[in-house]
Amino acid sequence: MKRIILSLVVTMLCLVPAMASAAGKVVSVSQFVEHPALDAVLKGAQDYFKDNNLDVTFNVHNAQANMATTVQIAAQIQGEQPDLVIAIATPSAQACAQKIQGTPILATAVTDHVGAGLVKSLEHPGGNVSGTSDMLPVARQLDLIREFHPELKSLGVIYNSGEANSVTLVKMLKAACDAAGIKLEEATVLNSAGIYQAAKSLVGRTEAVYLPTDNTVISALESVVKVCRQNKLPLYAADNDSVERGTIAALAFDYYKLGYQTGAMAKRILFDGADVSAMPVESLQELSLHVNMKAAEAMGVTVPESVLSRAEKVIK
Amino acid sequence: MTWYAFYGALEQGFVYGLLVLGVYLTFRVLDFPDLTVDGSLPLGAAVSSVAITAGVNPFVSLLMAMGAGFLAGMVTGILNTKFRILHLLASILTMIALYSINIRIMGKPNLTLLGADTVLDSVAGFGLPPHMSAPLLFACFCAVAVALLVWFLHTELGLTLLATGDNAQMITAQGVNTHSVIIFGVGLSNALAALSGALVAQNQGAADVNMGVGTIVAGLASVIVGETLFGCRTVARAMIAAILGSVAYRLAIALALGLKLGSFSFTPSDLNLITAILVIAALVSPQLKSRFRK
């Protein structure tokens, strides 16, 4: 017993030596989970520094979707004493904001910075946290769906009611639908296993289905596509990646560009002496329209000429 | 590993140590594998956060969280004893029900506590930096919990609880109603899980409905690692071992997060694998050692 304790103590002491200091600036990253969109954000931020030949070392940590680990990563980052922290997705951002004082934090891929308690207001963050928001232009996306279906009376939406970002988006969608006189039918899921059934529950109840950028639903998108093809139920997404995977169209922004923009904010703090507390939370205004002709045909929809002429990418 | 990461691991080890005590109570003492904790940990977080946002004192919110956790555990216990639902299934049913209930309590899936008063503010005045005062505070919570549990397990009710897990038939023959003992025991365990969850939320700045995922895995791993590394001959020692096991488990994660080995580099996605390997190493090493001695 004594020997075990002794050996434990010795191992711990060996682990303690401080980090070697790196030349240039150090950026520590706390990412919540590996996920195409979140990975693209990280890549975008890293590429910004590469493209501008800036000497920045990245320490990347990933919590593997575990909340307890996000707090430990925050402690890890404190020890690395970076010049700046990039936190990707809401839980990681909250853990960093709670634990790390004095170091600027850019929270990205967060939908609602104010609701998550990260900043006091979008225009004047006030603390050591700012960042970029992935708030979707829900109203403009609804307009796109109405361009396909001018007579739309009911719209279905599938999302995980446990995802804070999705709940915020659906609340906004509901408001937009109410204003347009459209009935919104909600189907919620707990995990990816329930998605097939949730999609089926919308058949016959709605004229079209819209999917927000919900991690759970998008990870099992194919089962929704299958149900919609079988029942000629038009399916629209909120991200361009999903168009590739079988939804009819999306008016969306690119997560890579969101990361790139975050990189630009980081540069202003690291190299131009900008004060994070005075930097408003930014969002992407530039949207790109992708259309999938095969999916449209399979779901019995003709793509309006006005949409086709604007599309940045058409999948045939 | 830096000092910050080391203190961070201690902090997580102690704050989840309360949960591990609860898991020890059900899993080892009552012989009742209880998955309710995956729901009662966020339940405690939800109750405490809602209370704090409504202006309740953070310490009082802990008591409210414990009360809610106790009720959740009682539901599992009643489903198991009175309605004869298999313990595993009974606890899963309560767990999934709690998912919806937790969203109801918070009104949304994520409730922030950033900027609100928490129990951590009470130790901020002692001059220690936050990364040191938090583990100290949570260690105190664990010490008090162990002391109270040791005292409790030597009372008549506590001894009945121990005996129920060991030999339910004998205890029934003594004329004791095992049902109420099990209901109370599972309730107590989940009160501890909810207390742990409330402190976790106050510590990490938000309560989130998904924060309970995998709680039972971490709890069981901690109990077993603790037993292997620190022994379990008496109840008091087993409980201290459980908390140290929780610390060891979090140290393993901290180690995995900071691991860099020469030319072969791990990627962040290897974290779960490395953690599993480190825990397995802790479990296997005493057996290997005794084999070498022979």
Side-chain angles (χ1 to χ4, degrees):
Chain A
M1 183 66 197
K2 267 180 200 154
R3 246 186 253 163
I4 295 172
I5 293 177
L6 194 69
S7 56
L8 264 183
V9 170
V10 171
T11 350
M12 283 173 192
L13 286 179
C14 296
L15 302 174
V16 157
M19 300 279 296
S21 63
K25 301 284 186 182
V26 178
V27 173
S28 291
V29 179
S30 172
Q31 185 177 329
F32 185 57
V33 63
E34 307 214 275
H35 173 292
L38 301 186
D39 293 347
V41 171
L42 175 61
K43 181 92 180 12
Q46 289 176 321
D47 282 359
Y48 180 86
F49 289 103
K50 223 179 277 168
D51 295 350
N52 290 285
N53 285 321
L54 296 165
D55 184 13
V56 172
T57 315
F58 276 85
N59 297 317
V60 181
H61 303 286
N62 191 307
Q64 314 254 293
N66 187 318
M67 307 250 169
T69 313
T70 61
V71 184
Q72 278 197 268
I73 286 176
Q76 201 85 23
I77 287 176
Q78 269 186 306
E80 290 165 0
Q81 301 188 322
D83 300 294
L84 182 119
V85 180
I86 292 179
I88 305 175
T90 307
S92 289
Q94 283 174 325
C96 285
Q98 172 80 346
K99 288 288 164 190
I100 301 170
Q101 271 90 37
T103 309
I105 299 170
L106 293 180
T108 180
V110 172
T111 300
D112 183 5
H113 283 69
V114 177
L118 296 166
V119 298
K120 289 195 187 73
S121 79
L122 294 180
E123 291 73 27
H124 307 284
N128 62 331
V129 187
S130 184
T132 49
S133 164
D134 63 359
M135 181 67 89
L136 294 176
V138 175
R140 286 172 67 186
Q141 291 180 331
L142 184 65
D143 287 345
L144 176 72
I145 297 175
R146 293 176 72 197
E147 222 171 308
F148 280 88
H149 310 274
E151 305 287 303
L152 191 70
K153 283 277 160 282
S154 62
L155 179 69
V157 60
I158 308 173
Y159 68 104
N160 178 351
S161 53
E163 282 190 30
N165 286 349
S166 305
V167 172
T168 307
L169 290 172
V170 172
K171 207 185 271 176
M172 291 171 58
L173 179 67
K174 180 95 174 67
C177 282
D178 282 349
I182 296 166
K183 191 164 182 289
L184 187 69
E185 296 278 0
E186 298 178 28
T188 59
V189 295
L190 293 178
N191 51 46
S192 51
I195 292 168
Y196 189 70
Q197 203 181 352
K200 282 200 152 178
S201 79
L202 290 175
V203 175
R205 278 205 292 159
T206 66
E207 296 161 49
V209 177
Y210 165 82
L211 303 179
T213 48
D214 183 285
N215 290 319
T216 313
V217 176
I218 299 301
S219 66
L221 176 71
E222 279 69 19
S223 51
V224 186
V225 172
K226 191 177 166 202
V227 171
C228 288
R229 276 170 172 260
Q230 281 169 350
N231 298 285
K232 296 250 181 268
L233 187 60
L235 176 66
Y236 300 89
D239 67 297
N240 289 328
D241 191 41
S242 295
V243 180
E244 203 99 19
R245 288 166 67 189
T247 65
I248 295 173
L251 181 68
F253 61 74
D254 189 343
Y255 272 85
Y256 177 83
K257 285 183 189 160
L258 190 73
Y260 207 80
Q261 192 167 341
T262 314
M265 284 179 85
K267 183 235 163 198
R268 296 210 296 278
I269 296 170
L270 290 172
F271 297 95
D272 307 339
D275 176 14
V276 65
S277 66
M279 291 171 89
V281 174
E282 297 180 6
S283 56
L284 278 180
Q285 296 305 321
E286 185 195 337
L287 302 172
S288 59
L289 174 61
H290 288 201
V291 181
N292 186 333
M293 301 300 281
K294 251 197 265 170
E297 196 186 336
M299 293 165 192
V301 175
T302 32
V303 181
E305 201 48 48
S306 61
V307 172
L308 210 50
S309 60
R310 292 203 320 270
E312 194 172 293
K313 188 173 175 188
V314 179
I315 298 160
K316 296 216 167 94
Chain B
M1 194 191 296
T2 60
W3 280 113
Y4 285 105
F6 178 70
Y7 286 121
L10 288 187
E11 172 192 305
Q12 292 298 97
F14 287 129
V15 76
Y16 283 96
L18 295 160
L19 159 90
V20 175
L21 283 178
V23 172
Y24 168 79
L25 267 187
T26 42
F27 181 60
R28 282 295 187 230
V29 174
L30 275 178
D31 198 16
F32 188 113
D34 178 28
L35 274 65
T36 317
V37 290
D38 272 28
S40 57
L41 183 109
L43 172 68
V47 169
S48 171
S49 313
V50 168
I52 288 177
T53 334
V56 174
N57 177 292
F59 283 97
V60 177
S61 84
L62 295 181
L63 293 177
M64 295 164 72
M66 287 182 79
F70 192 87
L71 288 177
M74 276 180 73
V75 170
T76 301
I78 289 169
L79 288 177
N80 172 240
T81 54
K82 303 293 179 200
F83 298 100
R84 301 193 181 181
I85 300 175
L86 180 72
H87 40 37
L88 221 49
L89 183 57
S91 64
I92 290 173
L93 289 171
T94 316
M95 174 185 85
I96 61 160
L98 282 172
Y99 183 90
S100 304
I101 292 169
N102 290 340
I103 296 181
R104 276 272 171 203
I105 293 174
M106 295 194 285
K108 49 191 171 181
N110 180 295
L111 188 60
T112 182
L113 281 174
L114 291 173
D117 271 347
T118 67
V119 293
L120 290 159
D121 294 316
S122 63
V123 286
F126 296 146
L128 276 176
H131 68 272
M132 290 164 120
S133 57
L136 195 67
L137 176 72
F138 297 141
C140 292
F141 269 98
C142 284
V144 172
V146 168
L148 285 176
L149 280 175
V150 169
W151 166 79
F152 164 71
L153 288 174
H154 286 87
T155 62
E156 199 172 330
L157 178 60
L159 289 169
T160 321
L161 199 76
L162 285 168
T164 305
D166 281 338
N167 190 337
Q169 276 177 336
M170 179 198 76
I171 208 78
T172 318
Q174 300 285 327
V176 178
N177 180 354
T178 53
H179 284 189
S180 43
V181 176
I182 290 173
I183 294 168
F184 178 79
V186 180
L188 187 60
S189 163
N190 283 285
L192 284 164
L195 172 64
S196 177
L199 291 172
V200 166
Q202 296 188 24
N203 186 40
Q204 73 186 17
D208 193 291
V209 71
N210 296 311
M211 69 193 278
V213 177
T215 297
I216 188 66
V217 178
L220 288 176
S222 303
V223 168
I224 297 166
V225 167
E227 281 175 356
T228 327
L229 291 181
F230 308 102
C232 52
R233 251 163 274 164
T234 63
V235 171
R237 179 153 171 191
M239 281 196 280
I240 293 169
I243 288 175
L244 293 179
S246 174
V247 172
Y249 178 73
R250 297 297 162 182
L251 276 173
I253 292 176
L255 190 58
L257 280 171
L259 206 58
K260 284 184 185 70
L261 289 180
S263 57
F264 178 80
S265 68
F266 287 101
T267 68
S269 62
D270 294 327
L271 174 68
N272 283 359
L273 174 67
I274 302 168
T275 311
I277 291 172
L278 285 170
V279 172
I280 291 169
L283 293 174
V284 174
S285 62
Q287 296 173 30
L288 287 181
K289 215 192 254 170
S290 64
R291 238 177 260 175
F292 277 126
R293 272 200 202 117
K294 272 174 197 167

